[in-house]
């Protein structure tokens, strides 16, 4: 190799011998322009490669690898056409055979030098010598020295994500040529001491071990370091943003005393469950601080999150401030409104409802009361986020069923405060627990309360999965239960029929004339006017309607204890979280509840989902299962929020590493809140490059 001038990590790849314009172009398409990017281009797996040996030394019964000159080839036709070749070196010969390999006659010719690897076995025909069956092969130049560890030694060969115009082997060759000179240029953003304590190799070592590992252990070690880096950078960014928010904004510190606590509890018509109680305590502690609370409250469907929210809102009211709760559907907002008004009956607390469905004058006067401070508690939908809504003194902002909103909406409600330096305390409630690992990444800036357990007296729901051929049986069964005084939900994926979807309207018409004849049945879906919808819900709640034929508008929040049956049609179309939510509409009263999923398991995932529904009742376990089925590839919130994907870290696998990264990032920021030390320059630059933009951290720079 001719001596090349000094290189840096920014030197274009064309400086590498053997990389001409065509290869450079192919690499560019893979996002690799310079040497630094090339060295950062990582293999996605490693292949075992046996060390090469002379032919005379090869033994039967193992993976062997050798090279030599092809001395003869032939195609042997028969029931199983095969291609045979003879390989020779100065010590002996080796027979190669490829079954169904006739096409190889075009690429392997006598006189060619090739390298082969495969399982050796005693010769099938002769009584001596060995044979390789279907070996891997590649062409080599006669004078080319063996790559990697050299003769006699096994090695792990990196396999790179390749493209049509450049194969893994060419990428490997280019990296091979430059690696030794590039490695010393890779600076580490962690001090040596920090790495040693965590048994993390240096960044340069990690890259060496990724591209040219001596053994499996090195691959693991390199992976661990690179995955840790990805997780740490994300944690650092998320937590920095939070620290910044905390420094720059203040929330109103709310009053709390035994007396206030007792007053609030008087309004709640039952004793809080231990799970609710501990969530309430955590919230009360948060809200007394000047630091804006940012808490995720996870509780399974029916665990009683509404009163926990009410507690927080009444704390705001006790300090003469405002509180708001945002629900994902009008139906749920209306229900919250009715509930809360009922609970606060006879008090002086002023409660308002704000939704898009309101009449204009109604809405105008509601807006005026919010702005003047004549409203204490505001319950609404997305409509709360529109520009016209101005609070005079918002202290607590709650987002119910947060999984139905985007990450950005969460931020926006918080910004509804009148004064930019004052941020309301934010509580985010969800019945679809975010898998633990994910909760720690994207939501790394949230504190988490779990409402464990359900209110007393809940019955387990029995879940059945049946095929469409049993539809009639199902509805005959539901009819019996209706006759016994139970109420039912029938859920369909659409309002109107289409090629692939069954709709509410046709199903209602059919049921009224068949199984449900003589019963009181009503439709509920998003196209109904608010008055009609409210009217239907009210009559269902008070038992004047036996069965509701509905779309997923009833998915979240709806709470009618006498409803004990839910039938979900075309259940294969719904996600696991959604099915669990829908199922949670029943099992709220003393009657034995049943959830029947009518579905055709059309895809493997659908089979898994329906099986999971049958087997698992607990929402937390289901969420983990969901994550498992969908895979970390989807990364739910992360992707949605625009975060760059991880290249090495795997959330399904790297739990421990993630926890460590999270802790380390917190400790780091605690020690150095601005990353302003000159020794942190590199860390800071790399963190901002990865996450500055999507997290809006650029102004920290
Ligand atoms: P979630 O929003 O968590 O799904 P809800 O707040 O709608 O659940 O509560 C479900 C039902 O349980 C409501 O009817 C509510 O009145 C009732 N409930 C909540 N907490 C308790 C409790 N501690 N004891 C008895 N019933 C409760
Ligand atoms: Mg709820």
């Amino acid at each position: 190799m001719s001596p090349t001038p000094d290189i840096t990590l920014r030197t274009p790849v064309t400086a590498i011998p053997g990389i001409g314009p065509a290869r450079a172009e192919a690499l560019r398409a893979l996002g690799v322009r310079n040497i630094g990017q090339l060295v950062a281009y990582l293999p996605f797996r490693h292949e075992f490669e046996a060390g090469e040996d002379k032919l005379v030394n090869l033994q039967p019964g193992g993976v062997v690898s050798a090279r030599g000159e092809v001395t003869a080839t032939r195609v042997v036709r028969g029931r199983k056409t095969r291609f045979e070749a003879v390989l020779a070196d100065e010590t002996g010969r080796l027979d190669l055979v490829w079954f169904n390999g006739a096409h190889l006659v075009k690429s392997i010719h006598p006189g060619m030098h090739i390298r082969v690897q495969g399982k050796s076995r005693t010769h099938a025909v002769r009584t001596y010598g060995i044979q390789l069956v279907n070996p891997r092969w590649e062409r080599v130049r006669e004078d080319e020295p063996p790559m990697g560890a050299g003769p006699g030694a096994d090695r792990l060969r990196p396999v790179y994500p390749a493209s049509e115009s450049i194969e893994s082997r060419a990428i490997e060759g280019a990296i091979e040529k430059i690696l030794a000179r590039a490695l010393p240029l890779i600076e580490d953003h962690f001090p040596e001491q920090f790495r040693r304590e965590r048994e993390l190799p240096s960044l340069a070592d990690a890259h060496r071990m990724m591209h040219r590992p001596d053994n499996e252990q090195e691959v693991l070690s390199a992976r661990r370091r690179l995955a840790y880096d990805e997780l740490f950078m994300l944690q650092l960014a998320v937590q920095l943003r939070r620290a910044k928010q905390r420094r720059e904004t203040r929330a109103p510190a709310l009053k709390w005393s035994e007396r206030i606590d007792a007053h609030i509890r008087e309004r709640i018509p039952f004793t809080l469950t231990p799970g609710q109680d501990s969530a309430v305590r955590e919230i009360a502690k948060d809200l007394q601080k000047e630091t804006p609370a940012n808490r995720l409250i996870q509780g399974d469907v029916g665990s009683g999150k509404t009163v926990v929210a009410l507690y927080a809102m009444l704390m705001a009211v006790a300090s003469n401030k405002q509180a708001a709760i945002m629900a994902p559907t009008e139906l749920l907002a209306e229900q919250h409104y009715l509930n809360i008004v009922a609970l606060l009956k006879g008090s002086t607390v002023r409660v308002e409802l704000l939704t898009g469905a309101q009449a204009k004058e109604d809405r105008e006067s509601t807006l005026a009361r919010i702005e003047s401070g004549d409203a204490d508690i505001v319950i609404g939908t997305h409509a709360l986020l529109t520009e016209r809504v101005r609070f005079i003194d918002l202290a607590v902002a709650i987002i119910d069923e947060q999984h139905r909103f985007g990450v950005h909406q969460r931020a926006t409600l918080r910004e509804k405060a009148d004064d930019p330096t004052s941020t309301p305390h934010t509580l985010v409630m969800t019945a679809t627990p975010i898998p633990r690992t994910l909760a720690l990444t994207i939501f790394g800036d949230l504190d988490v309360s779990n409402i464990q357990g359900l209110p007393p007296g809940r019955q387990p729901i029995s879940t059945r999965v049946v095929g469409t051929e049993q539809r009639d049986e199902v509805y005959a069964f539901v009819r019996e239960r209706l006759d016994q005084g139970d109420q039912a939900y029938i859920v369909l994926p659409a309002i109107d029929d289409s090629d692939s979807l069954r709709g509410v309207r046709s199903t209602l018409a059919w049921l009224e004339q068949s199984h449900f004849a003589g019963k009181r049945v009503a439709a509920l879906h998003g196209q109904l006017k608010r008055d009609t919808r409210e009217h239907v819900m009210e009559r269902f709640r008070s038992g004047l309607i036996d069965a509701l034929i509905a779309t997923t508008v009833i998915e979240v929040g709806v709470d009618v204890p006498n409803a004990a049956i839910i039938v979900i049609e075309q259940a294969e179309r719904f996600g696991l979280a959604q099915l669990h939510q829908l199922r949670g509409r029943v099992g709220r009263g003393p009657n034995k509840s049943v959830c029947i999923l009518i579905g055709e398991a059309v895809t493997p995932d659908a089979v898994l989902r329906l099986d999971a529904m049958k087997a698992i009742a607990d929402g937390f376990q289901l969420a983990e299962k969901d994550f498992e089925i969908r895979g970390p590839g989807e990364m739910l919130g992360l992707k949605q929020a625009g975060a760059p994907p991880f290249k090495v870290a795997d959330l399904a696998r790297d739990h421990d590493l993630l926890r460590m990264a999270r802790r380390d990032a917190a400790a780091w920021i605690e020690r150095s809140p601005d990353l302003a030390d000159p020794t942190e320059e590199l860390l800071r630059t790399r963190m901002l490059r990865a996450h500055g933009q999507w997290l809006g951290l650029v102004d920290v720079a």
Side-chain angles (χ1 to χ4, degrees):
M1 206 193 294
S2 60
T4 33
D6 279 349
I7 58 155
T8 72
L9 293 176
R10 300 199 175 212
T11 305
V13 288
T14 44
I16 303 171
I19 303 285
R23 287 212 163 144
E25 186 50 45
L27 284 173
R28 189 202 310 273
L30 297 173
V32 174
R33 288 194 174 77
N34 60 39
I35 288 171
Q37 289 163 335
L38 181 64
V39 175
Y41 196 76
L42 300 175
F44 63 98
R45 65 184 172 91
H46 293 82
E47 251 170 28
F48 173 77
E49 194 168 87
E52 285 176 24
D53 218 334
K54 292 296 172 195
L55 296 183
V56 72
N57 296 329
L58 300 185
Q59 299 294 326
V63 174
V64 301
S65 143
R67 69 171 66 206
E69 183 181 344
V70 177
T71 56
T73 67
R74 65 172 179 162
V75 174
V76 183
R77 306 223 168 255
R79 215 156 30 95
K80 246 185 174 180
T81 297
R82 61 187 195 270
F83 176 71
E84 293 183 348
V86 178
L87 193 70
D89 70 2
E90 65 281 10
T91 69
R93 55 170 276 170
L94 174 67
D95 287 351
L96 311 172
V97 55
W98 285 269
F99 290 104
N100 297 320
H103 61 279
L104 289 173
V105 73
K106 291 198 207 103
S107 30
I108 300 180
H109 309 291
M112 215 164 108
H113 285 257
I114 65 171
R115 182 183 179 286
V116 290
Q117 172 172 315
K119 263 244 182 81
S120 63
R121 67 177 199 193
T122 44
H123 210 288
V125 183
R126 288 198 315 260
T127 53
Y128 62 92
I130 65 167
Q131 194 180 31
L132 294 192
V133 178
N134 299 334
R136 272 208 325 253
W137 71 278
E138 66 191 328
R139 193 171 180 170
V140 290
R141 285 202 321 269
E142 191 179 346
D143 56 350
E144 185 179 296
M147 279 185 18
D154 299 341
R155 73 166 185 137
L156 287 170
R157 184 171 182 178
V159 184
Y160 296 89
S163 71
E164 294 227 319
S165 35
I166 188 160
E167 53 177 3
S168 169
R169 193 172 143 65
I171 300 171
E172 181 188 358
I175 293 177
E176 183 88 8
K177 286 199 183 102
I178 204 70
L179 190 63
R181 295 170 64 207
L183 287 174
L185 303 175
I186 299 180
E187 286 182 83
D188 212 305
H189 43 258
F190 290 136
E192 202 183 324
Q193 169 83 6
F194 182 92
R195 289 198 324 260
R196 255 208 315 268
E197 285 163 7
R198 288 156 187 81
E199 295 180 33
L200 295 167
S202 73
L203 211 45
D205 283 346
H207 281 92
R208 198 275 299 157
M209 296 190 294
M210 212 60 179
H211 293 299
R212 209 176 6 187
D214 284 343
N215 50 52
E216 198 80 41
Q217 199 49 47
E218 288 201 343
V219 177
L220 292 177
S221 174
R223 234 203 110 254
R224 183 166 169 272
R225 164 70 207 254
L226 299 174
Y228 175 85
D229 271 27
E230 288 180 338
L231 298 168
F232 180 85
M233 291 292 181
L234 177 61
Q235 287 298 317
L236 196 63
V238 166
Q239 295 186 34
L240 262 179
R241 180 178 66 165
R242 180 181 194 187
K244 180 170 172 275
Q245 268 165 7
R246 289 192 157 189
R247 259 200 321 269
E248 292 174 4
T249 59
R250 288 273 159 275
L254 300 181
K255 286 189 289 212
W256 187 90
S257 65
E258 298 288 338
R259 230 179 51 111
I260 292 175
D261 179 68
H263 256 313
I264 296 177
R265 286 180 196 251
E266 266 166 30
R267 286 283 158 194
I268 300 171
F270 33 69
T271 317
L272 296 185
T273 64
Q276 288 170 321
D277 204 55
S278 77
V280 157
R281 280 170 207 279
E282 284 170 327
I283 291 168
K285 212 186 278 168
D286 279 3
L287 304 194
Q288 290 173 69
K289 294 186 192 148
E290 273 207 328
T291 315
N294 207 6
R295 184 172 287 278
L296 175 67
I297 297 161
Q298 302 190 139
D300 206 348
V301 190
S303 60
K305 291 181 293 295
T306 314
V307 293
V308 173
L310 181 65
Y311 188 104
M313 293 195 284
L314 289 176
M315 263 184 79
V317 176
S319 292
N320 286 320
K321 306 212 176 282
Q322 293 174 301
I325 181 166
M326 180 164 81
T329 64
E330 308 220 323
L331 193 68
L332 182 51
E334 286 155 12
Q335 182 185 278
H336 278 333
Y337 176 76
L338 294 175
N339 274 343
I340 289 173
V341 166
L343 292 177
L344 298 179
K345 201 160 163 218
S347 78
T348 53
V349 183
R350 295 156 303 177
V351 185
E352 293 285 342
L353 177 67
L354 187 83
T355 72
Q358 262 166 319
K360 195 155 180 285
E361 312 88 81
D362 232 22
R363 197 177 146 74
E364 291 300 320
S365 60
T366 303
L367 287 172
R369 285 194 294 275
I370 296 173
E371 194 160 1
S372 67
D374 287 339
D376 300 311
I377 290 180
V378 182
I379 296 157
T381 56
H382 300 79
L384 279 175
L385 297 178
T386 53
E387 234 167 74
R388 299 280 325 280
V389 184
R390 290 269 133 236
F391 288 87
I392 183 153
D393 209 356
L394 184 62
V396 173
I398 301 178
I399 298 172
D400 194 16
E401 307 291 355
Q402 110 90 27
H403 59 284
R404 303 279 303 256
F405 294 105
V407 176
H408 296 297
Q409 282 162 327
R410 167 156 68 94
T412 333
L413 185 58
R414 196 188 297 151
E415 282 150 21
K416 277 288 163 193
D418 37 315
D419 162 6
T421 63
S422 159
T423 301
H425 298 288
T426 307
L427 304 178
V428 172
M429 323 230 287
T430 182
T432 303
I434 299 158
R436 269 194 326 267
T437 39
L438 209 65
L440 297 179
T441 47
I442 179 71
F443 299 109
D445 60 338
L446 288 178
D447 297 314
V448 180
S449 297
N450 287 321
I451 303 184
Q452 302 283 2
L454 298 175
R458 292 286 163 84
Q459 301 252 7
I461 304 165
S462 83
T463 301
R464 295 181 214 162
V465 179
V466 304
T468 29
E469 73 285 351
Q470 294 188 50
R471 225 172 152 222
D472 280 306
E473 275 167 65
V474 167
Y475 287 117
F477 164 80
V478 177
R479 169 68 196 233
E480 271 174 43
R481 295 283 306 249
L482 296 184
D483 285 339
Q484 291 162 22
D486 283 322
Q487 288 173 285
Y489 299 101
I490 314 295
V491 181
L492 293 125
I495 299 176
D496 290 303
D497 284 356
S498 67
D499 291 346
S500 56
L501 295 179
R502 218 186 267 285
V504 167
R505 290 198 175 106
S506 66
T507 307
L508 175 79
W510 172 63
L511 283 174
E512 270 181 327
Q513 283 166 30
S514 55
H515 299 285
F516 293 179
K519 289 282 148 192
R520 294 159 302 177
V521 186
L524 192 72
H525 53 73
Q527 282 176 12
L528 296 181
K529 288 230 162 51
R530 177 179 165 196
D531 293 351
T532 317
R533 196 172 56 219
E534 273 182 357
H535 186 60
V536 169
M537 268 322 287
E538 206 179 291
R539 295 204 310 146
F540 187 63
R541 214 171 274 131
S542 56
L544 294 173
I545 290 175
D546 302 307
L548 269 190
I549 322 292
T551 58
T552 53
V553 289
I554 62 145
E555 177 186 334
V556 287
V558 173
D559 183 41
V560 179
N562 193 51
I565 314 282
I566 185 164
V567 177
I568 303 170
E569 291 235 31
Q570 294 189 291
E572 74 277 359
R573 304 203 152 253
F574 298 104
L576 201 45
Q578 216 175 2
L579 289 173
H580 180 62
Q581 283 277 356
L582 285 167
R583 174 168 63 184
R585 293 315 113 215
V586 299
R588 292 169 174 255
N591 304 354
K592 178 102 195 65
S593 290
V594 185
C595 167
I596 303 172
L597 306 172
I598 305 181
E600 299 302 326
V602 282
T603 65
D605 277 8
V607 177
L608 291 175
R609 283 199 300 269
L610 297 179
D611 284 350
M613 281 295 291
K614 210 160 37 175
I616 304 173
D618 176 75
F620 285 64
Q621 275 177 40
L622 268 181
E624 298 290 340
K625 190 80 195 173
D626 197 22
F627 191 48
E628 210 175 278
I629 294 173
R630 293 204 277 171
E634 284 208 22
M635 302 267 286
L636 304 118
L638 265 188
K639 201 155 142 198
Q640 181 195 4
F646 294 137
K647 284 196 285 187
V648 185
D650 175 354
L651 290 181
R653 199 165 55 173
D654 292 327
H655 292 232
D656 294 344
L657 213 50
L658 174 60
R659 250 186 290 280
M660 179 165 121
R662 181 172 153 88
R663 228 180 18 237
D664 290 346
W668 195 297
I669 293 172
E670 175 99 21
R671 216 173 40 239
S672 173
D674 299 310
L675 303 186
D677 194 85
T679 62
E680 294 172 306
E681 173 90 36
L682 202 51
L683 177 65
R684 183 186 162 80
T685 313
R686 288 179 177 165
M687 182 271 298
L688 286 173
R689 200 185 303 147
H691 301 294
Q693 191 121 41
W694 78 276
L695 279 177
L697 269 172
V698 192
D699 49 329
V700 181

